[in-house]
Amino acid sequence: MRQEHMLIPTLRDNPSDADIKSHQLLLRAGYIRQNAAGVYSFLPLGSRVLRKVEQIVREEMDEAGAQEVLMPALQPAELWQESGRWEVYGPELMRLKDRNNRDFALGATHEEVITSLMRDEVKSYKKLPMTLYQIQTKFRDEQRPRFGILRGREFLMKDAYSFDTSQEGLDESYQKMFDAYTRIFTRLGLNFRAVIADSGAMGGKDTHEFMALSEIGEDTIAYSDSSSFAANIEMAPCVNQYEKSIEKEQELTLVETESHKSMEEVANYLNVSEHQLLKSLLFTVDDQLVLVLVRGDHEVNDIKLKNYFDAAFVELASHEIVKEKMGCEIGNIGPISVPKGITVVADLAVQSMVNFVCGANVEGKHYTNANVNRDFMVQSFADLRFIKEGDLSPDGQGIIKFARGIEIGHVFKLGTRYSESMGALYLDEQGKTQPMIMGSYGIGVSRLLSAIVEQSNDEHGIIWPTAISPFDVHLIPVNVKNEEQAQLSEEIYATLKKARFDVLFDNRKERPGVKFADSELIGLPVRITVGKKASEGIVELKIRKTGEMKEVAVSQLAAELTTIFQAL
């Protein structure tokens, strides 16, 4: 492709509204342009990368036995109402009405559509198992679109759905998709980890997120320093390693703590460590109030709390509710003399605490020497806190460390969550009606570009992995007005195309410095410079990833490139 008339609008400076490296580079190198907050156009270079990513995804999905379909982005509300998600999905679901006042949604995901398709078209166990997938634009009305195409309101996604007749079948389909994802992200050159995750609004159990490791990732990964264990911090279980002190219980005492409310403030004021304090937080869990107790140096994990109660809704109680029910400010809440109707649960670590400090439900006061069972009762103990760096790994191997990650894929075991509510049934071998057992598997195709650029760049620009680079080679004549350079460049262009190399030919009448700067910014794997030795049939070859440069005779160029790409 000749560069002179290509739409590659490069920028010298970082745009003011681009906060992260990938957003800056994709804009500066002319891969994307913003149309509205969270909505982007992919320019020719960006579109070529997307198509190559899609091809890798298709190859691995097809290899895993999945069949490609294409479902509508415009989805009737009736399907979402059948599944029960029309209301609970939240404001991220883009809703609209047609001219007949009929409700629709722009597809944020396609569980409802695929389930309705299968219930209408598949009636017998003989057609199962089956896995269908598509690559299609999705829409989510993000409250805060940010980081360019990493968190947008319109994005390209691969979503797949498996249908089985047994749990064992689902396990097998799930593993096939898990393995396919591992191959996809490996082929894309990503540094990633598969981590235990929460299914959120999707429903279902046994889920994994695939995370590209990155400092700008919005998710925290808890991983073992000595094993393969890795989990989203929301889902990482904490080892019950607490031993109760043999210290004798002391007399409960009400003490003055003035205006001090936070764990740090109270600990400093009373000259005790934070792990000697009890943290009490009031939550609204569906339609009930729950007082959650954790050690002062721990944090309540609302996802674990939600899962423990199998709840649809969990949030901290408002200031007004705390004042009304507990009679105090949030910083003075405690477990002693809790009003009726409030359920009290505690993290496992609380069982080992003796003579601790807790709120007194009175402004400016706390109790010291409080003890469970003597001074108050707990309905149940469970793992309700966030794991911390330095904790024992849940698999018993090593200690926990943290890393940041960008979610690039997610696999779910949905079970019969959608098939039962929407009537996706089949006849088994005995002629009995059974619900299909489902799995759901997504990859953020467009956000992969950001994840890859975050991991593959330097101070000069992008460094594309060879598998998805928009072109293989950047061919640059230093001076297109020089007849020898121009002629040799044309010959090289024709020869490399014939040898099946994808070449971007910079035939612009620009200064060499501009061409080289743009080449580094765009980030193609190999640059060929046709310069002063053109008359000798010699060109300069530079590998973008390593910076290695060498002179090569044109007669050996195709063979040399083949060797380089095999190594890359």
Side-chain angles (χ1 to χ4, degrees):
M1 184 85 58
R2 297 177 187 272
Q3 192 169 340
E4 184 178 13
H5 297 297
M6 277 196 73
L7 181 60
I8 310 176
T10 57
L11 305 172
R12 296 276 74 85
D13 300 316
N14 288 328
S16 59
D17 60 344
D19 298 325
I20 62 172
K21 196 72 171 179
S22 60
H23 191 193
Q24 295 166 357
L25 290 175
L26 289 169
L27 286 169
R28 286 185 55 210
Y31 284 82
I32 61 172
R33 283 296 182 267
Q34 180 173 304
N35 299 103
V39 180
Y40 286 82
S41 291
F42 287 84
L43 305 189
L45 291 179
S47 180
R48 290 175 73 92
V49 176
L50 276 179
R51 298 292 85 79
K52 291 191 175 184
V53 172
E54 287 180 30
Q55 184 59 31
I56 289 174
V57 171
R58 284 191 170 94
E59 288 173 3
E60 295 298 343
M61 294 302 295
D62 293 347
E63 180 65 23
Q67 307 169 59
E68 186 171 6
V69 297
L70 184 60
M71 292 176 280
L74 191 63
Q75 303 181 14
E78 290 89 340
L79 294 179
W80 287 73
Q81 290 162 352
E82 281 186 57
S83 71
R85 289 206 300 176
W86 182 251
E87 298 298 335
V88 303
Y89 196 90
E92 285 77 24
L93 185 64
M94 288 190 170
R95 307 159 203 259
L96 64 157
K97 293 180 182 290
D98 68 6
R99 67 179 66 195
N100 297 312
N101 208 37
R102 185 183 178 191
D103 287 317
F104 286 85
L106 290 178
T109 183
H110 275 71
E111 277 76 13
E112 284 78 7
V113 175
I114 196 70
T115 303
S116 69
L117 178 66
M118 288 294 287
R119 78 178 174 194
D120 294 339
E121 304 301 331
V122 175
K123 304 296 184 181
S124 169
Y125 73 94
K126 294 179 181 179
K127 295 293 291 183
L128 301 175
M130 185 181 293
T131 299
L132 304 174
Y133 79 96
Q134 66 172 351
I135 298 176
Q136 192 221 47
T137 301
K138 295 288 192 292
F139 303 88
R140 293 178 190 170
D141 195 3
E142 294 281 355
Q143 184 174 6
R144 274 197 326 130
R146 59 198 298 246
F147 294 167
I149 57 174
L150 203 54
R151 181 171 290 280
R153 293 192 293 171
E154 177 180 321
F155 52 94
L156 195 63
M157 181 178 176
K158 189 286 302 177
D159 47 322
Y161 307 91
S162 64
F163 298 84
D164 285 276
T165 60
S166 67
Q167 184 61 47
E168 293 75 21
L170 172 59
D171 292 343
E172 184 176 342
S173 295
Y174 185 91
Q175 190 62 47
K176 284 182 179 179
M177 290 297 102
F178 187 99
D179 294 342
Y181 278 31
T182 300
R183 294 192 299 271
I184 288 167
F185 300 134
T186 299
R187 289 179 63 182
L188 293 174
L190 281 162
N191 179 15
F192 69 95
R193 294 194 76 150
V195 304
I196 301 167
D198 177 59
S199 60
M202 300 290 288
K205 304 293 184 182
D206 297 332
T207 75
H208 285 84
E209 290 171 333
F210 287 80
M211 295 283 191
L213 302 186
S214 171
E215 291 181 358
I216 62 93
E218 296 184 288
D219 293 285
T220 299
I221 302 167
Y223 69 95
S224 169
D225 65 353
S226 303
S227 73
S228 62
F229 173 82
N232 191 304
I233 191 174
E234 296 174 338
M235 293 298 291
C238 299
V239 177
N240 187 5
Q241 55 180 315
Y242 317 106
E243 292 186 8
K244 189 166 184 176
S245 170
I246 59 173
E247 177 185 351
K248 184 179 179 181
E249 292 184 355
Q250 304 296 316
E251 182 180 353
L252 183 68
T253 305
L254 186 66
V255 299
E256 181 70 43
T257 48
E258 301 177 355
S259 61
H260 303 295
K261 293 183 174 64
S262 72
M263 290 293 106
E264 182 180 6
E265 289 173 346
V266 175
N268 289 337
Y269 183 77
L270 297 177
N271 195 29
V272 297
S273 64
E274 288 188 31
H275 73 263
Q276 293 176 275
L277 272 65
L278 184 74
K279 184 182 297 181
S280 306
L281 294 172
L282 190 64
F283 282 83
T284 300
V285 180
D286 286 346
D287 57 354
Q288 65 177 318
L289 289 175
V290 177
L291 186 65
V292 184
L293 313 178
V294 296
R295 212 168 68 183
D297 59 332
H298 293 163
E299 299 294 335
V300 176
N301 185 325
D302 56 338
I303 297 298
K304 289 182 179 179
L305 182 65
K306 177 174 176 286
N307 292 338
Y308 178 75
F309 281 97
D310 195 21
F313 173 82
V314 168
E315 73 171 3
L316 276 169
S318 66
H319 171 83
E320 291 74 19
I321 291 177
V322 170
K323 192 74 173 176
E324 176 189 350
K325 299 295 184 180
M326 306 300 292
C328 64
E329 299 294 327
I330 291 174
N332 293 108
I333 295 176
I336 298 176
S337 300
V338 172
K340 290 183 178 180
I342 296 178
T343 301
V344 180
V345 296
D347 180 67
L348 297 172
V350 175
Q351 288 178 302
S352 68
M353 297 178 69
V354 176
N355 297 327
F356 50 83
V357 177
C358 66
N361 297 321
V362 177
E363 294 301 313
K365 295 184 184 296
H366 280 72
Y367 283 114
T368 60
N369 298 326
N371 288 278
V372 182
N373 296 329
R374 185 194 70 180
D375 302 315
F376 64 92
M377 302 301 294
V378 172
Q379 178 177 303
S380 59
F381 293 90
D383 175 14
L384 298 174
R385 72 171 177 92
F386 280 106
I387 202 165
K388 295 175 63 176
E389 281 195 285
D391 283 349
L392 290 177
S393 177
D395 65 358
Q397 300 180 52
I399 62 171
I400 287 297
K401 291 188 175 181
F402 286 172
R404 305 294 294 176
I406 299 169
E407 183 187 341
I408 51 177
H410 208 156
V411 290
F412 303 82
K413 289 183 182 178
L414 294 176
T416 57
R417 156 78 171 81
Y418 294 90
S419 55
E420 286 187 338
S421 62
M422 298 184 68
L425 310 174
Y426 70 94
L427 294 177
D428 65 15
E429 295 183 50
Q430 285 73 44
K432 294 182 179 179
T433 300
Q434 304 287 353
M436 298 179 190
I437 302 176
M438 294 175 58
S440 177
Y441 318 94
I443 289 178
V445 174
S446 52
R447 71 164 25 205
L448 279 170
L449 273 66
S450 273
I452 291 166
V453 173
E454 283 295 329
Q455 292 186 352
S456 301
N457 69 78
D458 62 15
E459 67 271 23
H460 303 297
I462 300 169
I463 305 173
W464 286 112
T466 57
I468 59 168
S469 177
F471 294 92
D472 301 321
V473 175
H474 208 164
L475 175 60
I476 301 179
V478 173
N479 182 5
V480 295
K481 295 180 180 180
N482 180 288
E483 186 174 340
E484 289 180 330
Q485 292 184 25
Q487 182 177 342
L488 185 58
S489 296
E490 291 289 351
E491 292 174 5
I492 292 171
Y493 184 47
T495 299
L496 293 184
K497 287 204 301 179
K498 189 174 181 180
R500 312 291 293 180
F501 288 101
D502 212 354
V503 183
L504 178 61
F505 181 11
D506 191 349
N507 61 333
R508 298 177 297 166
K509 298 177 178 63
E510 284 282 5
R511 292 178 290 108
V514 172
K515 291 186 175 185
F516 293 147
D518 282 351
S519 181
E520 296 285 287
L521 186 59
I522 290 170
L524 307 187
V526 176
R527 185 180 80 201
I528 299 172
T529 303
V530 181
K532 60 185 179 181
K533 291 190 177 182
S535 60
E536 303 173 41
I538 295 175
V539 297
E540 180 186 81
L541 187 150
K542 181 178 181 180
I543 300 174
R544 179 70 180 89
K545 184 176 182 179
T546 64
E548 178 187 354
M549 300 174 68
K550 63 172 69 176
E551 290 185 343
V552 179
V554 172
S555 60
Q556 299 298 315
L557 190 54
E560 183 68 26
L561 286 173
T562 298
T563 300
I564 288 172
F565 277 94
Q566 287 174 346
L568 291 175

